[in-house]
Amino acid sequence: AYGVDGLFSFFNDLSMGTYFARSEVDGRNTRNTSYQGRFDYAPDKWGVRADYLVVGANYSPEVGFTNRTNFDRSYVSGRYSPRPRGSKRVRKYTFEGTFEYLDSGAGYLETRTGAGRFMTEFQNSDTFSAVTADHYERLVQPFTVSPGHVIPKGAYGFNDATFTYGFGQQRRMSGSLAWQTGEFYNGTINGLTYSTGRVAILKQWSLEPSFSVNRIDLPNGAFTTEVVRARTDYGFSPRRFISALVQYSAADHIFSSNLRFRWEYRPGSEVFVVYTDERDTSLSGFPFLRNRAFVVKVNRLLRF
């Protein structure tokens, strides 16, 4: 595999990027390239972005990986962000439109998304946004969204809207609360999400809770997915802290935990102690242990 890429910046607001790559695999010497062109003009008040990406059906770097192959993706967006003069409440408004078109290498439309977004940034750093989107998805094979709930293959057009209020980082409790409602393939969806949450308990101790609850109603039945997560950090000093993460997913009945200690015993040299486990709560009795790991890692930076 080989290629070349470049990034070109002009002034403070204009940038362009591009790459070209090719892979050589025995028996796969056609449609084995990938390339991209990107244009981004992003001053404070206006913004325009355009992106074109191609990944061939036989492009395979082997020592790397690609998320998806055999497609052409076109993307464009436009933004207008005025700052009202003399407003004591609003710092900036943002109006933005985006359009994404993803074509398969076989010549048919796979994904199309058009969205409009309005956001208000307040003087206290809180934000409010409303996003409406029109989707098109072509499924070439059935899609299992939850055990016992399958969306048949076919072409689907659907719309949804998401409303989000973000609490500024300067607050003792911050994060983003979002509500999504609308269509979902051949059904409907209503979801409530709290993300990037942070509660400052002490100067050196914080709690980061988050959750996601989605109610999906399909022709073959309705179901609810729930994910609850909490992370906490305690800093003994700028170079030594301990953190813990716990998460529960109702879709697969999995409870997982992670405990990590980090100590930078000298600049650039660290000690990590990590414990993780994963348990299946669908079985009766004490949650069944699926896997467990205990890892100690030490690195030392040598300066010459």
PDB file of all heavy atoms in Angstrom, residues 51-81:
ATOM      1  N   ASP A  51     -16.681  18.223   0.814  1.00  0.00           N
ATOM      2  CA  ASP A  51     -15.827  17.046   0.975  1.00  0.00           C
ATOM      3  C   ASP A  51     -16.276  15.980  -0.015  1.00  0.00           C
ATOM      4  O   ASP A  51     -17.475  15.716  -0.151  1.00  0.00           O
ATOM      5  CB  ASP A  51     -15.960  16.533   2.414  1.00  0.00           C
ATOM      6  CG  ASP A  51     -14.903  15.484   2.761  1.00  0.00           C
ATOM      7  OD1 ASP A  51     -14.315  14.915   1.840  1.00  0.00           O
ATOM      8  OD2 ASP A  51     -14.690  15.246   3.956  1.00  0.00           O
ATOM      9  N   TYR A  52     -15.307  15.384  -0.711  1.00  0.00           N
ATOM     10  CA  TYR A  52     -15.611  14.282  -1.619  1.00  0.00           C
ATOM     11  C   TYR A  52     -14.631  13.150  -1.339  1.00  0.00           C
ATOM     12  O   TYR A  52     -13.413  13.354  -1.353  1.00  0.00           O
ATOM     13  CB  TYR A  52     -15.502  14.726  -3.079  1.00  0.00           C
ATOM     14  CG  TYR A  52     -15.876  13.640  -4.063  1.00  0.00           C
ATOM     15  CD1 TYR A  52     -17.183  13.170  -4.136  1.00  0.00           C
ATOM     16  CD2 TYR A  52     -14.921  13.072  -4.908  1.00  0.00           C
ATOM     17  CE1 TYR A  52     -17.536  12.169  -5.033  1.00  0.00           C
ATOM     18  CE2 TYR A  52     -15.258  12.082  -5.805  1.00  0.00           C
ATOM     19  CZ  TYR A  52     -16.568  11.632  -5.863  1.00  0.00           C
ATOM     20  OH  TYR A  52     -16.916  10.637  -6.742  1.00  0.00           O
ATOM     21  N   LEU A  53     -15.166  11.949  -1.081  1.00  0.00           N
ATOM     22  CA  LEU A  53     -14.355  10.809  -0.682  1.00  0.00           C
ATOM     23  C   LEU A  53     -14.742   9.587  -1.508  1.00  0.00           C
ATOM     24  O   LEU A  53     -15.938   9.310  -1.701  1.00  0.00           O
ATOM     25  CB  LEU A  53     -14.565  10.514   0.807  1.00  0.00           C
ATOM     26  CG  LEU A  53     -13.963   9.227   1.368  1.00  0.00           C
ATOM     27  CD1 LEU A  53     -12.436   9.265   1.301  1.00  0.00           C
ATOM     28  CD2 LEU A  53     -14.431   9.006   2.804  1.00  0.00           C
ATOM     29  N   VAL A  54     -13.749   8.856  -1.974  1.00  0.00           N
ATOM     30  CA  VAL A  54     -13.969   7.628  -2.746  1.00  0.00           C
ATOM     31  C   VAL A  54     -13.119   6.517  -2.136  1.00  0.00           C
ATOM     32  O   VAL A  54     -11.937   6.710  -1.854  1.00  0.00           O
ATOM     33  CB  VAL A  54     -13.588   7.818  -4.233  1.00  0.00           C
ATOM     34  CG1 VAL A  54     -13.695   6.485  -4.987  1.00  0.00           C
ATOM     35  CG2 VAL A  54     -14.466   8.869  -4.884  1.00  0.00           C
ATOM     36  N   VAL A  55     -13.737   5.357  -1.922  1.00  0.00           N
ATOM     37  CA  VAL A  55     -13.025   4.156  -1.486  1.00  0.00           C
ATOM     38  C   VAL A  55     -13.440   3.026  -2.421  1.00  0.00           C
ATOM     39  O   VAL A  55     -14.612   2.662  -2.485  1.00  0.00           O
ATOM     40  CB  VAL A  55     -13.354   3.779  -0.024  1.00  0.00           C
ATOM     41  CG1 VAL A  55     -12.609   2.506   0.373  1.00  0.00           C
ATOM     42  CG2 VAL A  55     -12.999   4.917   0.921  1.00  0.00           C
ATOM     43  N   GLY A  56     -12.500   2.498  -3.175  1.00  0.00           N
ATOM     44  CA  GLY A  56     -12.797   1.456  -4.142  1.00  0.00           C
ATOM     45  C   GLY A  56     -13.157   0.127  -3.496  1.00  0.00           C
ATOM     46  O   GLY A  56     -12.808  -0.147  -2.344  1.00  0.00           O
ATOM     47  N   ALA A  57     -13.827  -0.737  -4.292  1.00  0.00           N
ATOM     48  CA  ALA A  57     -14.269  -2.030  -3.778  1.00  0.00           C
ATOM     49  C   ALA A  57     -13.104  -2.923  -3.379  1.00  0.00           C
ATOM     50  O   ALA A  57     -13.217  -3.724  -2.448  1.00  0.00           O
ATOM     51  CB  ALA A  57     -15.129  -2.731  -4.825  1.00  0.00           C
ATOM     52  N   ASN A  58     -11.969  -2.788  -4.078  1.00  0.00           N
ATOM     53  CA  ASN A  58     -10.818  -3.635  -3.804  1.00  0.00           C
ATOM     54  C   ASN A  58      -9.701  -2.905  -3.066  1.00  0.00           C
ATOM     55  O   ASN A  58      -8.581  -3.409  -2.992  1.00  0.00           O
ATOM     56  CB  ASN A  58     -10.265  -4.215  -5.111  1.00  0.00           C
ATOM     57  CG  ASN A  58     -11.202  -5.236  -5.714  1.00  0.00           C
ATOM     58  OD1 ASN A  58     -11.834  -6.006  -4.996  1.00  0.00           O
ATOM     59  ND2 ASN A  58     -11.309  -5.234  -7.044  1.00  0.00           N
ATOM     60  N   TYR A  59     -10.010  -1.723  -2.528  1.00  0.00           N
ATOM     61  CA  TYR A  59      -9.000  -1.017  -1.738  1.00  0.00           C
ATOM     62  C   TYR A  59      -8.876  -1.698  -0.379  1.00  0.00           C
ATOM     63  O   TYR A  59      -9.845  -1.770   0.387  1.00  0.00           O
ATOM     64  CB  TYR A  59      -9.367   0.452  -1.567  1.00  0.00           C
ATOM     65  CG  TYR A  59      -8.407   1.200  -0.672  1.00  0.00           C
ATOM     66  CD1 TYR A  59      -7.126   1.498  -1.109  1.00  0.00           C
ATOM     67  CD2 TYR A  59      -8.780   1.587   0.605  1.00  0.00           C
ATOM     68  CE1 TYR A  59      -6.233   2.171  -0.292  1.00  0.00           C
ATOM     69  CE2 TYR A  59      -7.898   2.262   1.431  1.00  0.00           C
ATOM     70  CZ  TYR A  59      -6.631   2.547   0.974  1.00  0.00           C
ATOM     71  OH  TYR A  59      -5.738   3.210   1.792  1.00  0.00           O
ATOM     72  N   SER A  60      -7.717  -2.218  -0.076  1.00  0.00           N
ATOM     73  CA  SER A  60      -7.504  -2.958   1.177  1.00  0.00           C
ATOM     74  C   SER A  60      -6.057  -2.792   1.605  1.00  0.00           C
ATOM     75  O   SER A  60      -5.171  -3.457   1.065  1.00  0.00           O
ATOM     76  CB  SER A  60      -7.841  -4.443   0.994  1.00  0.00           C
ATOM     77  OG  SER A  60      -7.576  -5.159   2.182  1.00  0.00           O
ATOM     78  N   PRO A  61      -5.765  -1.920   2.564  1.00  0.00           N
ATOM     79  CA  PRO A  61      -4.366  -1.698   2.960  1.00  0.00           C
ATOM     80  C   PRO A  61      -3.759  -2.873   3.706  1.00  0.00           C
ATOM     81  O   PRO A  61      -2.549  -2.901   3.899  1.00  0.00           O
ATOM     82  CB  PRO A  61      -4.451  -0.451   3.847  1.00  0.00           C
ATOM     83  CG  PRO A  61      -5.846  -0.451   4.362  1.00  0.00           C
ATOM     84  CD  PRO A  61      -6.692  -1.032   3.274  1.00  0.00           C
ATOM     85  N   GLU A  62      -4.568  -3.851   4.132  1.00  0.00           N
ATOM     86  CA  GLU A  62      -4.095  -5.065   4.804  1.00  0.00           C
ATOM     87  C   GLU A  62      -3.471  -4.794   6.166  1.00  0.00           C
ATOM     88  O   GLU A  62      -3.864  -5.394   7.153  1.00  0.00           O
ATOM     89  CB  GLU A  62      -3.118  -5.849   3.904  1.00  0.00           C
ATOM     90  CG  GLU A  62      -3.725  -6.323   2.592  1.00  0.00           C
ATOM     91  CD  GLU A  62      -4.869  -7.303   2.784  1.00  0.00           C
ATOM     92  OE1 GLU A  62      -4.854  -8.050   3.768  1.00  0.00           O
ATOM     93  OE2 GLU A  62      -5.778  -7.321   1.939  1.00  0.00           O
ATOM     94  N   VAL A  63      -2.479  -3.930   6.255  1.00  0.00           N
ATOM     95  CA  VAL A  63      -1.864  -3.654   7.551  1.00  0.00           C
ATOM     96  C   VAL A  63      -2.630  -2.563   8.303  1.00  0.00           C
ATOM     97  O   VAL A  63      -2.303  -2.246   9.442  1.00  0.00           O
ATOM     98  CB  VAL A  63      -0.385  -3.233   7.400  1.00  0.00           C
ATOM     99  CG1 VAL A  63       0.437  -4.385   6.887  1.00  0.00           C
ATOM    100  CG2 VAL A  63      -0.242  -2.024   6.491  1.00  0.00           C
ATOM    101  N   GLY A  64      -3.629  -1.968   7.675  1.00  0.00           N
ATOM    102  CA  GLY A  64      -4.488  -0.997   8.326  1.00  0.00           C
ATOM    103  C   GLY A  64      -5.922  -1.487   8.243  1.00  0.00           C
ATOM    104  O   GLY A  64      -6.185  -2.679   8.177  1.00  0.00           O
ATOM    105  N   PHE A  65      -6.885  -0.578   8.254  1.00  0.00           N
ATOM    106  CA  PHE A  65      -8.264  -0.988   8.082  1.00  0.00           C
ATOM    107  C   PHE A  65      -9.075   0.197   7.570  1.00  0.00           C
ATOM    108  O   PHE A  65      -8.690   1.355   7.717  1.00  0.00           O
ATOM    109  CB  PHE A  65      -8.859  -1.519   9.391  1.00  0.00           C
ATOM    110  CG  PHE A  65      -9.388  -0.451  10.308  1.00  0.00           C
ATOM    111  CD1 PHE A  65     -10.742  -0.207  10.387  1.00  0.00           C
ATOM    112  CD2 PHE A  65      -8.529   0.317  11.085  1.00  0.00           C
ATOM    113  CE1 PHE A  65     -11.237   0.777  11.227  1.00  0.00           C
ATOM    114  CE2 PHE A  65      -9.011   1.301  11.926  1.00  0.00           C
ATOM    115  CZ  PHE A  65     -10.372   1.527  11.994  1.00  0.00           C
ATOM    116  N   THR A  66     -10.210  -0.103   6.941  1.00  0.00           N
ATOM    117  CA  THR A  66     -11.154   0.913   6.509  1.00  0.00           C
ATOM    118  C   THR A  66     -12.511   0.578   7.103  1.00  0.00           C
ATOM    119  O   THR A  66     -12.895  -0.591   7.206  1.00  0.00           O
ATOM    120  CB  THR A  66     -11.271   0.960   4.976  1.00  0.00           C
ATOM    121  OG1 THR A  66     -11.609  -0.353   4.494  1.00  0.00           O
ATOM    122  CG2 THR A  66      -9.967   1.404   4.331  1.00  0.00           C
ATOM    123  N   ASN A  67     -13.244   1.602   7.516  1.00  0.00           N
ATOM    124  CA  ASN A  67     -14.572   1.381   8.096  1.00  0.00           C
ATOM    125  C   ASN A  67     -15.567   0.855   7.070  1.00  0.00           C
ATOM    126  O   ASN A  67     -16.483   0.108   7.405  1.00  0.00           O
ATOM    127  CB  ASN A  67     -15.112   2.685   8.694  1.00  0.00           C
ATOM    128  CG  ASN A  67     -14.366   3.094   9.946  1.00  0.00           C
ATOM    129  OD1 ASN A  67     -13.935   2.251  10.712  1.00  0.00           O
ATOM    130  ND2 ASN A  67     -14.220   4.391  10.151  1.00  0.00           N
ATOM    131  N   ARG A  68     -15.371   1.250   5.825  1.00  0.00           N
ATOM    132  CA  ARG A  68     -16.347   0.919   4.790  1.00  0.00           C
ATOM    133  C   ARG A  68     -15.631   0.954   3.448  1.00  0.00           C
ATOM    134  O   ARG A  68     -14.711   1.741   3.249  1.00  0.00           O
ATOM    135  CB  ARG A  68     -17.478   1.955   4.820  1.00  0.00           C
ATOM    136  CG  ARG A  68     -18.712   1.616   4.034  1.00  0.00           C
ATOM    137  CD  ARG A  68     -19.793   2.633   4.373  1.00  0.00           C
ATOM    138  NE  ARG A  68     -21.062   2.346   3.745  1.00  0.00           N
ATOM    139  CZ  ARG A  68     -22.197   2.969   4.042  1.00  0.00           C
ATOM    140  NH1 ARG A  68     -22.199   3.902   4.971  1.00  0.00           N
ATOM    141  NH2 ARG A  68     -23.326   2.656   3.429  1.00  0.00           N
ATOM    142  N   THR A  69     -16.043   0.103   2.518  1.00  0.00           N
ATOM    143  CA  THR A  69     -15.435   0.066   1.194  1.00  0.00           C
ATOM    144  C   THR A  69     -16.507   0.183   0.127  1.00  0.00           C
ATOM    145  O   THR A  69     -17.714   0.049   0.390  1.00  0.00           O
ATOM    146  CB  THR A  69     -14.652  -1.243   0.982  1.00  0.00           C
ATOM    147  OG1 THR A  69     -15.550  -2.359   1.114  1.00  0.00           O
ATOM    148  CG2 THR A  69     -13.518  -1.384   1.985  1.00  0.00           C
ATOM    149  N   ASN A  70     -16.055   0.448  -1.105  1.00  0.00           N
ATOM    150  CA  ASN A  70     -16.934   0.469  -2.275  1.00  0.00           C
ATOM    151  C   ASN A  70     -18.025   1.532  -2.163  1.00  0.00           C
ATOM    152  O   ASN A  70     -19.222   1.230  -2.211  1.00  0.00           O
ATOM    153  CB  ASN A  70     -17.555  -0.915  -2.485  1.00  0.00           C
ATOM    154  CG  ASN A  70     -18.137  -1.071  -3.890  1.00  0.00           C
ATOM    155  OD1 ASN A  70     -17.705  -0.404  -4.832  1.00  0.00           O
ATOM    156  ND2 ASN A  70     -19.109  -1.953  -4.034  1.00  0.00           N
ATOM    157  N   PHE A  71     -17.617   2.800  -2.024  1.00  0.00           N
ATOM    158  CA  PHE A  71     -18.599   3.885  -1.955  1.00  0.00           C
ATOM    159  C   PHE A  71     -17.959   5.190  -2.406  1.00  0.00           C
ATOM    160  O   PHE A  71     -16.744   5.362  -2.382  1.00  0.00           O
ATOM    161  CB  PHE A  71     -19.163   4.034  -0.542  1.00  0.00           C
ATOM    162  CG  PHE A  71     -18.198   4.608   0.455  1.00  0.00           C
ATOM    163  CD1 PHE A  71     -18.129   5.981   0.685  1.00  0.00           C
ATOM    164  CD2 PHE A  71     -17.351   3.780   1.184  1.00  0.00           C
ATOM    165  CE1 PHE A  71     -17.237   6.514   1.603  1.00  0.00           C
ATOM    166  CE2 PHE A  71     -16.460   4.306   2.103  1.00  0.00           C
ATOM    167  CZ  PHE A  71     -16.409   5.665   2.314  1.00  0.00           C
ATOM    168  N   ASP A  72     -18.821   6.131  -2.794  1.00  0.00           N
ATOM    169  CA  ASP A  72     -18.459   7.521  -3.068  1.00  0.00           C
ATOM    170  C   ASP A  72     -19.291   8.394  -2.121  1.00  0.00           C
ATOM    171  O   ASP A  72     -20.512   8.233  -2.067  1.00  0.00           O
ATOM    172  CB  ASP A  72     -18.779   7.926  -4.512  1.00  0.00           C
ATOM    173  CG  ASP A  72     -18.082   7.039  -5.527  1.00  0.00           C
ATOM    174  OD1 ASP A  72     -17.250   6.211  -5.135  1.00  0.00           O
ATOM    175  OD2 ASP A  72     -18.403   7.171  -6.724  1.00  0.00           O
ATOM    176  N   ARG A  73     -18.648   9.295  -1.405  1.00  0.00           N
ATOM    177  CA  ARG A  73     -19.358  10.148  -0.452  1.00  0.00           C
ATOM    178  C   ARG A  73     -19.158  11.612  -0.807  1.00  0.00           C
ATOM    179  O   ARG A  73     -18.025  12.073  -0.961  1.00  0.00           O
ATOM    180  CB  ARG A  73     -18.869   9.900   0.971  1.00  0.00           C
ATOM    181  CG  ARG A  73     -19.485  10.823   2.020  1.00  0.00           C
ATOM    182  CD  ARG A  73     -18.893  10.544   3.394  1.00  0.00           C
ATOM    183  NE  ARG A  73     -19.422  11.427   4.415  1.00  0.00           N
ATOM    184  CZ  ARG A  73     -18.875  12.590   4.788  1.00  0.00           C
ATOM    185  NH1 ARG A  73     -17.749  13.004   4.182  1.00  0.00           N
ATOM    186  NH2 ARG A  73     -19.413  13.340   5.726  1.00  0.00           N
ATOM    187  N   SER A  74     -20.275  12.327  -0.917  1.00  0.00           N
ATOM    188  CA  SER A  74     -20.251  13.775  -1.149  1.00  0.00           C
ATOM    189  C   SER A  74     -20.897  14.463   0.055  1.00  0.00           C
ATOM    190  O   SER A  74     -21.956  14.032   0.529  1.00  0.00           O
ATOM    191  CB  SER A  74     -21.015  14.142  -2.429  1.00  0.00           C
ATOM    192  OG  SER A  74     -20.469  13.497  -3.553  1.00  0.00           O
ATOM    193  N   TYR A  75     -20.254  15.523   0.520  1.00  0.00           N
ATOM    194  CA  TYR A  75     -20.757  16.232   1.694  1.00  0.00           C
ATOM    195  C   TYR A  75     -20.562  17.727   1.494  1.00  0.00           C
ATOM    196  O   TYR A  75     -19.511  18.169   1.035  1.00  0.00           O
ATOM    197  CB  TYR A  75     -20.021  15.781   2.953  1.00  0.00           C
ATOM    198  CG  TYR A  75     -20.394  16.546   4.203  1.00  0.00           C
ATOM    199  CD1 TYR A  75     -21.489  16.171   4.966  1.00  0.00           C
ATOM    200  CD2 TYR A  75     -19.651  17.656   4.613  1.00  0.00           C
ATOM    201  CE1 TYR A  75     -21.840  16.868   6.110  1.00  0.00           C
ATOM    202  CE2 TYR A  75     -19.986  18.365   5.749  1.00  0.00           C
ATOM    203  CZ  TYR A  75     -21.086  17.957   6.497  1.00  0.00           C
ATOM    204  OH  TYR A  75     -21.432  18.665   7.628  1.00  0.00           O
ATOM    205  N   VAL A  76     -21.585  18.508   1.855  1.00  0.00           N
ATOM    206  CA  VAL A  76     -21.487  19.959   1.770  1.00  0.00           C
ATOM    207  C   VAL A  76     -22.253  20.565   2.937  1.00  0.00           C
ATOM    208  O   VAL A  76     -23.277  20.025   3.381  1.00  0.00           O
ATOM    209  CB  VAL A  76     -22.030  20.476   0.417  1.00  0.00           C
ATOM    210  CG1 VAL A  76     -23.516  20.165   0.270  1.00  0.00           C
ATOM    211  CG2 VAL A  76     -21.761  21.962   0.248  1.00  0.00           C
ATOM    212  N   SER A  77     -21.758  21.675   3.463  1.00  0.00           N
ATOM    213  CA  SER A  77     -22.449  22.376   4.548  1.00  0.00           C
ATOM    214  C   SER A  77     -22.241  23.870   4.401  1.00  0.00           C
ATOM    215  O   SER A  77     -21.225  24.328   3.865  1.00  0.00           O
ATOM    216  CB  SER A  77     -21.945  21.899   5.916  1.00  0.00           C
ATOM    217  OG  SER A  77     -20.614  22.303   6.137  1.00  0.00           O
ATOM    218  N   GLY A  78     -23.206  24.614   4.913  1.00  0.00           N
ATOM    219  CA  GLY A  78     -23.119  26.068   4.930  1.00  0.00           C
ATOM    220  C   GLY A  78     -23.578  26.590   6.280  1.00  0.00           C
ATOM    221  O   GLY A  78     -24.527  26.049   6.872  1.00  0.00           O
ATOM    222  N   ARG A  79     -22.910  27.627   6.787  1.00  0.00           N
ATOM    223  CA  ARG A  79     -23.196  28.137   8.129  1.00  0.00           C
ATOM    224  C   ARG A  79     -23.232  29.663   8.138  1.00  0.00           C
ATOM    225  O   ARG A  79     -22.433  30.321   7.473  1.00  0.00           O
ATOM    226  CB  ARG A  79     -22.123  27.645   9.103  1.00  0.00           C
ATOM    227  CG  ARG A  79     -22.201  28.242  10.507  1.00  0.00           C
ATOM    228  CD  ARG A  79     -21.079  27.728  11.384  1.00  0.00           C
ATOM    229  NE  ARG A  79     -19.754  27.963  10.802  1.00  0.00           N
ATOM    230  CZ  ARG A  79     -19.092  29.109  10.917  1.00  0.00           C
ATOM    231  NH1 ARG A  79     -19.640  30.144  11.554  1.00  0.00           N
ATOM    232  NH2 ARG A  79     -17.878  29.230  10.382  1.00  0.00           N
ATOM    233  N   TYR A  80     -24.175  30.204   8.930  1.00  0.00           N
ATOM    234  CA  TYR A  80     -24.257  31.644   9.172  1.00  0.00           C
ATOM    235  C   TYR A  80     -24.369  31.834  10.681  1.00  0.00           C
ATOM    236  O   TYR A  80     -25.303  31.319  11.319  1.00  0.00           O
ATOM    237  CB  TYR A  80     -25.454  32.241   8.457  1.00  0.00           C
ATOM    238  CG  TYR A  80     -25.702  33.698   8.756  1.00  0.00           C
ATOM    239  CD1 TYR A  80     -24.708  34.648   8.574  1.00  0.00           C
ATOM    240  CD2 TYR A  80     -26.947  34.124   9.231  1.00  0.00           C
ATOM    241  CE1 TYR A  80     -24.943  35.991   8.841  1.00  0.00           C
ATOM    242  CE2 TYR A  80     -27.192  35.460   9.506  1.00  0.00           C
ATOM    243  CZ  TYR A  80     -26.182  36.388   9.313  1.00  0.00           C
ATOM    244  OH  TYR A  80     -26.410  37.708   9.596  1.00  0.00           O
ATOM    245  N   SER A  81     -23.410  32.576  11.286  1.00  0.00           N
ATOM    246  CA  SER A  81     -23.332  32.690  12.749  1.00  0.00           C
ATOM    247  C   SER A  81     -23.207  34.151  13.162  1.00  0.00           C
ATOM    248  O   SER A  81     -22.110  34.629  13.477  1.00  0.00           O
ATOM    249  CB  SER A  81     -22.141  31.888  13.287  1.00  0.00           C
ATOM    250  OG  SER A  81     -22.198  30.544  12.884  1.00  0.00           O
TER     251      SER A  81
END
